[in-house]
Amino acid sequence: MHHVRNATWAEDASRVRTGNAPRTMAALRNLAVGALRLAGHTTIAAILRHHTRNPNRPLATLGIMQSTGQIT
């Protein structure tokens, strides 16, 4: 897991080093990797790039539907 986090988010170069912040960031990154793997994705870096192009894609991966803001 460390290799995936380091290769994808450059975790070793992170400047977050005090208190509980490093452990919290690692936990959030583990959560992201786990959610993507549960969704069937194997290449984490590629799917992260894909998700950054549209803010609705991460929500869809998590099964969260974004409201359109229209009243019907």
Side-chain angles (χ1 to χ4, degrees):
M1 184 61 84
H2 174 73
H3 173 72
V4 173
R5 289 192 325 250
N6 192 45
T8 306
W9 287 290
E11 190 173 58
D12 288 346
S14 175
R15 298 190 59 136
V16 177
R17 297 194 176 134
T18 59
N20 291 325
R23 184 174 292 143
T24 303
M25 290 303 298
L28 290 171
R29 291 176 182 129
N30 284 341
L31 179 67
V33 170
L36 291 171
R37 286 190 174 155
L38 280 174
H41 303 289
T42 56
T43 310
I44 302 302
I47 198 63
L48 287 175
R49 285 190 301 272
H50 177 74
H51 278 24
T52 59
R53 294 184 188 115
N54 183 333
N56 295 323
R57 289 178 184 157
L59 297 174
T61 297
L62 295 174
I64 301 171
M65 301 303 294
Q66 184 177 5
S67 65
T68 60
Q70 297 176 351
I71 300 172
T72 56

